[in-house]
Amino acid sequence: MSKKISKNYMDYVPVKNPKVEYETAENGRVTVFIEWKGFHNRIAQKFFHRPRVSDVKMDELGSFVWLAIDDQKDVHQLSKEFDERFPKKEKSLARLIKFLEILRDNDLIYWKGEKKR
């Protein structure tokens, strides 16, 4: 029988990947720049005209979370700030955790204490 280990995201502290560049527009919206490296990406850039750097524009919620990540606050603190800023959002904790997982899967953040990929 396999033992299922559950994650307690509330204690995790997200840290922005220092290699990721971003800018904040006057309206507070964040644009993250992702550089595509590696053999397969070079092929895609050459033959399929894929850009070397993609710019990902975040919406209001994503921009708020990105700017709130300060390498000190855990997910619990971020969720409290999120709920204060967006009090009528349904399933705010689930949304926040999913967004953080997406950021991590794309190497935009990592969890404090975790080895960088």
Short mmCIF file of all heavy atoms in Angstrom, two decimals, residues 20-49:
data_model
loop_
_atom_site.label_atom_id
_atom_site.label_comp_id
_atom_site.label_asym_id
_atom_site.label_seq_id
_atom_site.Cartn_x
_atom_site.Cartn_y
_atom_site.Cartn_z
N VAL A 20 14.23 35.54 -13.64
CA VAL A 20 13.04 35.97 -14.37
C VAL A 20 12.92 37.49 -14.31
O VAL A 20 12.90 38.07 -13.22
CB VAL A 20 11.77 35.31 -13.81
CG1 VAL A 20 10.53 35.87 -14.47
CG2 VAL A 20 11.85 33.81 -13.97
N GLU A 21 12.84 38.10 -15.47
CA GLU A 21 12.66 39.55 -15.54
C GLU A 21 11.18 39.87 -15.67
O GLU A 21 10.42 39.12 -16.29
CB GLU A 21 13.43 40.12 -16.73
CG GLU A 21 14.93 39.97 -16.59
CD GLU A 21 15.67 40.63 -17.73
OE1 GLU A 21 15.16 41.60 -18.32
OE2 GLU A 21 16.77 40.15 -18.05
N TYR A 22 10.79 40.99 -15.10
CA TYR A 22 9.41 41.44 -15.21
C TYR A 22 9.36 42.95 -15.10
O TYR A 22 10.31 43.59 -14.65
CB TYR A 22 8.53 40.78 -14.14
CG TYR A 22 8.81 41.23 -12.73
CD1 TYR A 22 8.07 42.25 -12.14
CD2 TYR A 22 9.81 40.64 -11.98
CE1 TYR A 22 8.32 42.66 -10.85
CE2 TYR A 22 10.07 41.04 -10.68
CZ TYR A 22 9.32 42.05 -10.12
OH TYR A 22 9.57 42.47 -8.84
N GLU A 23 8.24 43.50 -15.52
CA GLU A 23 8.02 44.93 -15.38
C GLU A 23 6.58 45.17 -14.95
O GLU A 23 5.70 44.35 -15.21
CB GLU A 23 8.35 45.69 -16.66
CG GLU A 23 7.44 45.40 -17.82
CD GLU A 23 7.84 46.13 -19.10
OE1 GLU A 23 9.01 46.52 -19.23
OE2 GLU A 23 6.97 46.29 -19.96
N THR A 24 6.39 46.27 -14.27
CA THR A 24 5.06 46.64 -13.80
C THR A 24 4.62 47.90 -14.53
O THR A 24 5.33 48.91 -14.51
CB THR A 24 5.07 46.89 -12.28
OG1 THR A 24 5.65 45.76 -11.62
CG2 THR A 24 3.67 47.11 -11.75
N ALA A 25 3.48 47.84 -15.17
CA ALA A 25 2.94 48.98 -15.90
C ALA A 25 2.34 49.99 -14.91
O ALA A 25 2.17 49.69 -13.72
CB ALA A 25 1.87 48.52 -16.89
N GLU A 26 2.01 51.15 -15.41
CA GLU A 26 1.43 52.19 -14.57
C GLU A 26 0.12 51.75 -13.92
O GLU A 26 -0.20 52.18 -12.82
CB GLU A 26 1.20 53.47 -15.38
CG GLU A 26 2.48 54.18 -15.75
CD GLU A 26 2.22 55.44 -16.54
OE1 GLU A 26 1.12 56.01 -16.43
OE2 GLU A 26 3.13 55.85 -17.27
N ASN A 27 -0.62 50.87 -14.61
CA ASN A 27 -1.90 50.41 -14.07
C ASN A 27 -1.72 49.27 -13.06
O ASN A 27 -2.69 48.71 -12.57
CB ASN A 27 -2.84 49.97 -15.20
CG ASN A 27 -2.29 48.79 -16.00
OD1 ASN A 27 -1.23 48.25 -15.71
ND2 ASN A 27 -3.05 48.40 -17.01
N GLY A 28 -0.46 48.89 -12.76
CA GLY A 28 -0.20 47.86 -11.77
C GLY A 28 -0.13 46.46 -12.34
O GLY A 28 0.12 45.50 -11.62
N ARG A 29 -0.33 46.32 -13.65
CA ARG A 29 -0.28 45.00 -14.27
C ARG A 29 1.17 44.60 -14.53
O ARG A 29 1.98 45.41 -14.97
CB ARG A 29 -1.05 44.98 -15.59
CG ARG A 29 -2.53 45.30 -15.44
CD ARG A 29 -3.29 44.12 -14.83
NE ARG A 29 -4.64 44.45 -14.48
CZ ARG A 29 -5.69 44.23 -15.25
NH1 ARG A 29 -5.54 43.68 -16.43
NH2 ARG A 29 -6.90 44.54 -14.83
N VAL A 30 1.45 43.34 -14.28
CA VAL A 30 2.80 42.80 -14.41
C VAL A 30 2.94 42.06 -15.74
O VAL A 30 2.03 41.33 -16.14
CB VAL A 30 3.12 41.85 -13.24
CG1 VAL A 30 4.44 41.13 -13.44
CG2 VAL A 30 3.12 42.61 -11.92
N THR A 31 4.07 42.25 -16.38
CA THR A 31 4.45 41.47 -17.55
C THR A 31 5.73 40.74 -17.21
O THR A 31 6.72 41.35 -16.81
CB THR A 31 4.68 42.37 -18.78
OG1 THR A 31 3.48 43.10 -19.05
CG2 THR A 31 5.05 41.56 -20.01
N VAL A 32 5.70 39.41 -17.35
CA VAL A 32 6.86 38.56 -17.06
C VAL A 32 7.46 38.16 -18.40
O VAL A 32 6.75 37.81 -19.34
CB VAL A 32 6.44 37.30 -16.27
CG1 VAL A 32 7.62 36.40 -16.03
CG2 VAL A 32 5.79 37.70 -14.95
N PHE A 33 8.78 38.21 -18.47
CA PHE A 33 9.49 37.86 -19.70
C PHE A 33 10.16 36.50 -19.51
O PHE A 33 10.95 36.31 -18.60
CB PHE A 33 10.53 38.92 -20.04
CG PHE A 33 9.91 40.28 -20.23
CD1 PHE A 33 9.92 41.22 -19.21
CD2 PHE A 33 9.26 40.59 -21.42
CE1 PHE A 33 9.33 42.45 -19.38
CE2 PHE A 33 8.67 41.82 -21.60
CZ PHE A 33 8.69 42.76 -20.57
N ILE A 34 9.81 35.56 -20.39
CA ILE A 34 10.33 34.19 -20.31
C ILE A 34 11.24 33.96 -21.51
O ILE A 34 10.80 34.07 -22.66
CB ILE A 34 9.19 33.16 -20.30
CG1 ILE A 34 8.28 33.41 -19.11
CG2 ILE A 34 9.76 31.75 -20.27
CD1 ILE A 34 7.04 32.55 -19.10
N GLU A 35 12.51 33.66 -21.22
CA GLU A 35 13.47 33.37 -22.28
C GLU A 35 13.47 31.88 -22.55
O GLU A 35 13.58 31.06 -21.64
CB GLU A 35 14.87 33.82 -21.86
CG GLU A 35 15.88 33.67 -22.97
CD GLU A 35 17.24 34.22 -22.60
OE1 GLU A 35 17.41 34.73 -21.49
OE2 GLU A 35 18.14 34.13 -23.45
N TRP A 36 13.32 31.52 -23.82
CA TRP A 36 13.27 30.12 -24.23
C TRP A 36 14.67 29.67 -24.62
O TRP A 36 15.21 30.13 -25.62
CB TRP A 36 12.29 29.94 -25.38
CG TRP A 36 10.91 30.35 -25.01
CD1 TRP A 36 10.29 31.50 -25.35
CD2 TRP A 36 10.01 29.64 -24.18
NE1 TRP A 36 9.04 31.56 -24.79
CE2 TRP A 36 8.84 30.41 -24.06
CE3 TRP A 36 10.07 28.42 -23.51
CZ2 TRP A 36 7.74 30.00 -23.32
CZ3 TRP A 36 8.97 28.01 -22.76
CH2 TRP A 36 7.82 28.80 -22.68
N LYS A 37 15.24 28.78 -23.82
CA LYS A 37 16.59 28.29 -24.06
C LYS A 37 16.55 26.80 -24.34
O LYS A 37 15.56 26.14 -24.10
CB LYS A 37 17.47 28.53 -22.82
CG LYS A 37 17.63 29.97 -22.43
CD LYS A 37 18.47 30.08 -21.18
CE LYS A 37 18.58 31.50 -20.71
NZ LYS A 37 19.35 31.61 -19.48
N GLY A 38 17.67 26.29 -24.83
CA GLY A 38 17.78 24.86 -25.04
C GLY A 38 17.66 24.49 -26.50
O GLY A 38 17.21 25.27 -27.35
N PHE A 39 18.06 23.28 -26.79
CA PHE A 39 18.12 22.77 -28.16
C PHE A 39 16.76 22.83 -28.86
O PHE A 39 16.64 23.36 -29.96
CB PHE A 39 18.66 21.34 -28.14
CG PHE A 39 18.69 20.70 -29.49
CD1 PHE A 39 19.63 21.08 -30.43
CD2 PHE A 39 17.76 19.72 -29.83
CE1 PHE A 39 19.66 20.49 -31.68
CE2 PHE A 39 17.78 19.13 -31.08
CZ PHE A 39 18.73 19.52 -32.01
N HIS A 40 15.74 22.28 -28.23
CA HIS A 40 14.42 22.22 -28.86
C HIS A 40 13.84 23.62 -29.08
O HIS A 40 13.19 23.88 -30.10
CB HIS A 40 13.45 21.38 -28.02
CG HIS A 40 13.83 19.93 -28.00
ND1 HIS A 40 14.54 19.38 -26.96
CD2 HIS A 40 13.64 18.95 -28.90
CE1 HIS A 40 14.75 18.10 -27.22
NE2 HIS A 40 14.22 17.80 -28.39
N ASN A 41 14.10 24.50 -28.15
CA ASN A 41 13.60 25.86 -28.32
C ASN A 41 14.32 26.59 -29.45
O ASN A 41 13.71 27.37 -30.18
CB ASN A 41 13.73 26.64 -27.01
CG ASN A 41 12.72 26.19 -25.99
OD1 ASN A 41 11.55 26.01 -26.30
ND2 ASN A 41 13.16 25.97 -24.77
N ARG A 42 15.62 26.34 -29.61
CA ARG A 42 16.35 26.95 -30.73
C ARG A 42 15.80 26.47 -32.07
O ARG A 42 15.69 27.24 -33.03
CB ARG A 42 17.85 26.66 -30.61
CG ARG A 42 18.54 27.55 -29.58
CD ARG A 42 20.05 27.54 -29.73
NE ARG A 42 20.65 26.22 -29.58
CZ ARG A 42 21.01 25.67 -28.42
NH1 ARG A 42 20.80 26.33 -27.30
NH2 ARG A 42 21.55 24.47 -28.39
N ILE A 43 15.45 25.20 -32.15
CA ILE A 43 14.86 24.67 -33.38
C ILE A 43 13.51 25.34 -33.65
O ILE A 43 13.23 25.76 -34.78
CB ILE A 43 14.70 23.14 -33.29
CG1 ILE A 43 16.07 22.47 -33.35
CG2 ILE A 43 13.80 22.61 -34.41
CD1 ILE A 43 16.05 20.99 -33.10
N ALA A 44 12.71 25.46 -32.61
CA ALA A 44 11.40 26.11 -32.77
C ALA A 44 11.55 27.56 -33.18
O ALA A 44 10.77 28.07 -33.99
CB ALA A 44 10.62 26.00 -31.46
N GLN A 45 12.56 28.23 -32.64
CA GLN A 45 12.79 29.63 -33.00
C GLN A 45 13.21 29.75 -34.46
O GLN A 45 12.75 30.64 -35.17
CB GLN A 45 13.87 30.24 -32.09
CG GLN A 45 13.41 30.42 -30.67
CD GLN A 45 14.55 30.60 -29.68
OE1 GLN A 45 15.69 30.84 -30.06
NE2 GLN A 45 14.24 30.46 -28.41
N LYS A 46 14.07 28.85 -34.91
CA LYS A 46 14.59 28.93 -36.27
C LYS A 46 13.56 28.52 -37.32
O LYS A 46 13.35 29.22 -38.30
CB LYS A 46 15.84 28.05 -36.40
CG LYS A 46 16.48 28.15 -37.75
CD LYS A 46 17.82 27.47 -37.78
CE LYS A 46 18.42 27.62 -39.16
NZ LYS A 46 19.84 27.78 -39.14
N PHE A 47 12.88 27.40 -37.09
CA PHE A 47 12.00 26.86 -38.13
C PHE A 47 10.54 27.29 -38.00
O PHE A 47 9.82 27.34 -38.98
CB PHE A 47 12.10 25.33 -38.16
CG PHE A 47 13.46 24.85 -38.59
CD1 PHE A 47 14.31 24.30 -37.67
CD2 PHE A 47 13.88 24.98 -39.90
CE1 PHE A 47 15.58 23.86 -38.05
CE2 PHE A 47 15.13 24.56 -40.30
CZ PHE A 47 15.99 23.99 -39.37
N PHE A 48 10.11 27.56 -36.77
CA PHE A 48 8.70 27.91 -36.57
C PHE A 48 8.53 29.36 -36.13
O PHE A 48 7.44 29.77 -35.74
CB PHE A 48 8.07 26.96 -35.55
CG PHE A 48 8.16 25.52 -35.96
CD1 PHE A 48 8.97 24.64 -35.25
CD2 PHE A 48 7.47 25.04 -37.06
CE1 PHE A 48 9.07 23.31 -35.63
CE2 PHE A 48 7.57 23.72 -37.44
CZ PHE A 48 8.38 22.84 -36.73
N HIS A 49 9.61 30.11 -36.16
CA HIS A 49 9.60 31.54 -35.84
C HIS A 49 9.03 31.84 -34.46
O HIS A 49 8.35 32.85 -34.27
CB HIS A 49 8.87 32.33 -36.92
CG HIS A 49 9.40 32.04 -38.29
ND1 HIS A 49 10.65 32.44 -38.72
CD2 HIS A 49 8.86 31.34 -39.33
CE1 HIS A 49 10.84 32.03 -39.95
NE2 HIS A 49 9.79 31.35 -40.36
#
